[in-house]
Amino acid sequence: MGNEELDMDFEFDDTVTLTLDDGEEVECAVIAIYPVDGKDYIALLPMEGEAADTGEVYLYRYEEDEEGNPNLSNIEEDEEYENAADAFDELLDMEEYDELVDEEELEELDGVIDMEEEE
């Protein structure tokens, strides 16, 4: 994960096309851009091929130039990669929690509406 040299066709609209070292192009969905220790990272989910079948997520360092154009770079240091991966896991856990809370709130709201209709 994250060890490919990148060229990008990048129109930031929730997908990005990565060109890997072997020349293979991979269309990826942008899952999240998130900060860790003062740097931004991007999590990408391949939409086809073997990586998509396994649910593998690519993590890269994310920056924008002065004109706002995005730039992705490989995460070279193991410690930095672990920190970015841990933060992504926490982000996923928070998303799942938020979804659960939203579902519970909807169920409670449905219960209140049902009770009001019975009155």
Side-chain angles (χ1 to χ4, degrees):
M1 265 195 284
N3 292 328
E4 295 83 15
E5 188 173 306
L6 305 175
D7 288 279
M8 291 164 284
D9 297 326
F10 213 153
E11 305 218 81
F12 211 93
D13 59 7
D14 298 331
T15 64
V16 60
T17 301
L18 299 178
T19 303
L20 306 179
D21 285 341
D22 62 4
E24 178 186 3
E25 288 190 349
V26 180
E27 186 76 15
C28 297
V30 176
I31 300 172
I33 298 173
Y34 59 97
V36 179
D37 297 331
K39 297 178 184 173
D40 287 335
Y41 296 90
I42 188 169
L44 303 172
L45 180 65
M47 297 170 65
E48 54 192 41
E50 186 178 324
D53 294 339
T54 62
E56 184 175 357
V57 174
Y58 298 149
L59 299 178
Y60 295 100
R61 192 176 307 125
Y62 174 85
E63 299 170 309
E64 291 183 1
D65 64 17
E66 301 81 35
E67 297 165 8
N69 298 314
N71 181 37
L72 305 186
S73 56
N74 292 326
I75 303 170
E76 302 293 337
E77 301 293 323
D78 289 341
E79 183 178 342
E80 180 183 1
Y81 184 84
E82 289 300 319
N83 289 341
D86 288 346
F88 178 66
D89 288 342
E90 288 177 20
L91 185 67
L92 286 181
D93 290 344
M94 288 301 294
E95 284 294 317
E96 289 174 10
Y97 175 78
D98 287 347
E99 287 175 16
L100 285 173
V101 169
D102 288 345
E103 288 174 15
E104 288 173 5
E105 288 173 354
L106 284 174
E107 288 174 11
E108 288 176 15
L109 185 58
D110 284 344
V112 169
I113 290 171
D114 289 341
M115 287 178 14
E116 288 176 353
E117 288 176 358
E118 290 175 6
E119 291 178 3

